[in-house]
Amino acid sequence: MQQAEMVQRENWRSRLGFIMAAAGSAIGLGNIWRFPYLTGMNGGGAFIVIYLMCVIFVGLSIMIAEFAVGRKTGLAAVGAYKAHNRSWSFAGALGVLSGFFIMGFYPVVGGWSLAYMIKSVTGLLSVPEAIPDYFGAFITAPTEPLIWMLLYLAINVLIVARGVAEGIETAGKILMPTLFALLIFIIFRSVSLPGAGAGLRYLFVPDWSQVTGQTVLAALGQAFFSLSLGMGCMITYGSYLSKKENIPSNALTVVTMDTTAAIMAGLAMFPALFSFGMEPAQGPGLVFVVIPSLFAQMGSMGVLLSVIFFGALTIAALTSSISLLEVVVAYLMDEHKVERRKATFAASTVMAIMCILSSLSMGVLSGVQIFGVGFFDFFDILTDKIFLAIGGMLLAIFVGWFMDKEELRTELTNDGTVTFSFFELWYNLIKYVIPVAIAVVAAMGIAAIEQTSLMIFGLLVIVVLAIFSKKL
Ligand code: TRP
């Protein structure tokens, strides 16, 4: 018994600790900022139905698989693949690269959220009619958003360089429930506005006429992004999970929390949006326009709630982005023996440069395009429409075809002590259905996409990584 505990990795102090950390990584800008605006750009209800199918049939299975690989090997992403076979290390390296590129735009939006927390007090809400135009003016300005982004990134660096994530996790434990409570409050407000019914119909009555291959790829990519899957983040978390914990039920809890947060964000925003007569397909500005407009109607109470909302959103974003930075830092430390502080500063310096380009691509650099898109979209599309989905596909192939089925059964049932009735279903999904489904969706997306050259570039990067796999 003692022996077993000694060889085991340092564990999460409690089940709640693990759930909160994994949910903290999952719940972030993906749920509150990205999910509602993608829903608006992809026609509403039909997108939500496809998204939920991706979460249930792909996301949940992949999360179970990532936890299982992590706990079985006790290693983070690259190490876990490598432990099995060196030529698989490219799959782990692809994950590290994904984390790196997501950090090429995520802090830009984190900076917007931080800015809106402060701006809520300094007069943002005082002229409600000006709120929509204000957002456009703010993000396209040449310097101000850069300052907020750098501030946001600096907070990440401080936390990760010192290796002290507890502080932020404690803040998350308080602010995550606050965010949920606020969303419930906003939902009640939002649905009681005149004309809110149109928003509810938009969310829950699917209009299939707008669905294309692009819609499906967007939904799949969003499922991976929102659940923090496809780059080994959850493999790393699983490596700290106690052998006593029930993996499938933990995965189900995290997936349910994340999906609930996303749906709640949609419910909070669309009824109000329709009531205000705003455009659902307005894109990345959605949360920054609808929520302040809603709070602007509530006087000084609205100001207070707006500060709390964007404060909580910033913390939710931080608990996600430190997990991304940590994946890159852990890789440099473990595989290249770089010291923690150096790894953090080196990684974040490059991230800062990518973020500067992303932020400026909203304004002064909007004319500069690589593979047909601006810098922000380049990092965004490359990661969530290509790298994460392919990363998930590689993981499914790895688990389904290169790991032993009975060992997986043992891992997922804790040596037969807990039941996992859906084991056969899960195994077949992972082995056959998910790899094929992702390949089909990726092909459909590529066929329907405007950014074909970007897609080809992304696939080339993966091929190059695979060729140099042994060096990674
Ligand atoms: N899931 C987070 C969000 O929704 C973002 C994120 C954190 C992420 N870690 C990740 C995305 C790993 C993909 C992979 O905001």
Side-chain angles (χ1 to χ4, degrees):
M1 180 69 203
Q2 277 225 321
Q3 187 71 19
E5 276 187 2
M6 278 174 60
V7 291
Q8 212 174 63
R9 270 196 137 188
E10 161 196 356
N11 285 160
W12 300 92
R13 233 161 275 131
S14 62
R15 164 150 204 224
L16 189 67
F18 174 78
I19 296 274
M20 290 308 285
S25 163
I27 299 175
L29 295 169
N31 308 63
I32 316 290
W33 162 70
R34 204 160 193 283
F35 176 78
Y37 99 70
L38 280 183
T39 301
M41 303 233 305
N42 287 286
F47 177 81
I48 295 186
V49 172
I50 300 170
Y51 175 76
L52 291 176
M53 309 254 288
C54 292
V55 166
I56 295 167
F57 292 106
V58 182
L60 179 59
S61 296
I62 297 273
M63 189 173 291
I64 293 172
E66 290 206 11
F67 284 163
V69 170
R71 190 173 74 174
K72 189 163 172 4
T73 58
L75 294 166
V78 178
Y81 277 113
K82 216 189 230 176
H84 183 85
N85 185 332
R86 269 203 85 96
S87 45
W88 270 94
S89 48
F90 83 98
L94 176 64
V96 175
L97 198 64
S98 306
F100 198 62
F101 280 170
I102 294 175
M103 285 301 279
F105 71 93
Y106 204 93
V108 174
V109 185
W112 297 346
S113 178
L114 189 59
Y116 267 57
M117 177 178 96
I118 308 293
K119 285 173 190 291
S120 301
V121 198
T122 58
L124 173 71
L125 307 187
S126 53
V127 194
E129 314 78 61
I131 291 173
D133 289 338
Y134 182 80
F135 178 74
F138 167 61
I139 65 162
T140 51
T143 45
E144 201 199 331
L146 296 186
I147 296 168
W148 294 106
M149 177 276 288
L150 290 172
L151 205 59
Y152 177 86
L153 192 56
I155 302 173
N156 285 270
V157 171
L158 282 179
I159 296 167
V160 174
R162 297 163 135 205
V164 283
E166 299 94 48
I168 196 72
E169 266 152 30
T170 311
K173 272 180 204 141
I174 301 162
L175 279 163
M176 208 76 89
T178 309
L179 190 65
F180 272 92
L182 256 179
L183 282 174
I184 292 173
F185 171 80
I186 300 171
I187 291 170
F188 277 111
R189 247 335 259 223
S190 188
V191 296
S192 57
L193 292 170
L200 292 175
R201 272 193 298 284
Y202 182 79
L203 285 180
F204 296 116
V205 183
D207 167 11
W208 297 103
S209 66
Q210 294 196 39
V211 174
T212 66
Q214 263 302 299
T215 320
V216 183
L217 182 58
L220 182 71
Q222 172 64 14
F224 278 102
F225 186 87
S226 188
L227 296 168
S228 299
L229 296 176
M231 57 156 277
C233 198
M234 293 301 181
I235 296 184
T236 312
Y237 279 27
S239 73
Y240 295 106
L241 189 58
S242 151
K243 291 281 182 201
K244 294 188 212 82
E245 287 297 342
N246 181 334
I247 289 182
S249 91
N250 274 284
L252 184 63
T253 308
V254 175
V255 168
T256 307
M257 285 172 74
D258 186 76
T259 308
T260 308
I263 300 289
M264 280 169 64
L267 269 176
M269 279 173 245
F270 282 96
L273 180 139
F274 275 84
S275 170
F276 298 151
M278 290 171 179
E279 171 59 40
Q282 59 185 273
L286 199 98
V287 64
F288 297 99
V289 171
V290 175
I291 294 290
S293 302
L294 191 85
F295 285 142
Q297 300 181 330
M298 298 181 210
S300 49
M301 160 91 159
V303 171
L304 180 66
L305 291 176
S306 185
V307 176
I308 300 174
F309 178 84
F310 285 106
L313 180 59
T314 307
I315 297 289
L318 275 170
T319 57
S320 301
S321 55
I322 56 171
S323 79
L324 290 161
L325 181 55
E326 179 67 32
V327 167
V328 179
V329 168
Y331 168 75
L332 293 174
M333 285 169 58
D334 293 351
E335 306 293 327
H336 296 281
K337 309 287 169 253
V338 185
E339 187 237 333
R340 175 173 279 275
R341 278 168 172 271
K342 278 205 189 111
T344 313
F345 289 122
S348 59
T349 305
V350 183
M351 289 164 184
I353 294 168
M354 296 192 293
C355 285
I356 290 173
L357 294 172
S358 291
S359 183
L360 292 179
S361 75
M362 300 284 162
V364 288
L365 290 186
S366 61
V368 182
Q369 301 217 320
I370 27 172
F371 299 106
V373 294
F375 287 107
F376 189 107
D377 291 341
F378 174 78
F379 295 125
D380 182 347
I381 296 171
L382 194 61
T383 47
D384 93 26
K385 288 205 177 135
I386 311 172
F387 286 2
L388 296 182
I390 302 284
M393 181 165 100
L394 291 172
L395 178 91
I397 295 173
F398 179 73
V399 171
W401 296 86
F402 294 86
M403 284 176 81
D404 183 68
K405 184 175 176 186
E406 289 316 308
E407 284 183 13
L408 287 166
R409 193 196 301 273
T410 307
E411 189 64 46
L412 289 176
T413 58
N414 298 354
D415 224 347
T417 57
V418 296
T419 44
F420 178 28
S421 334
F422 295 111
F423 178 79
E424 290 295 332
L425 174 64
W426 169 81
Y427 187 74
N428 286 304
L429 280 174
I430 285 286
K431 185 163 184 156
Y432 305 105
V433 180
I434 291 176
V436 175
I438 293 179
V440 170
V441 172
M444 269 165 36
I446 292 172
I449 207 172
E450 309 84 56
Q451 300 105 1
T452 318
S453 58
L454 177 54
M455 288 280 169
I456 294 170
F457 169 75
L459 295 175
L460 269 178
V461 170
I462 297 171
V463 172
V464 170
L465 278 179
I467 293 171
F468 290 101
S469 200
K470 296 222 163 50
K471 297 216 165 60
L472 299 166

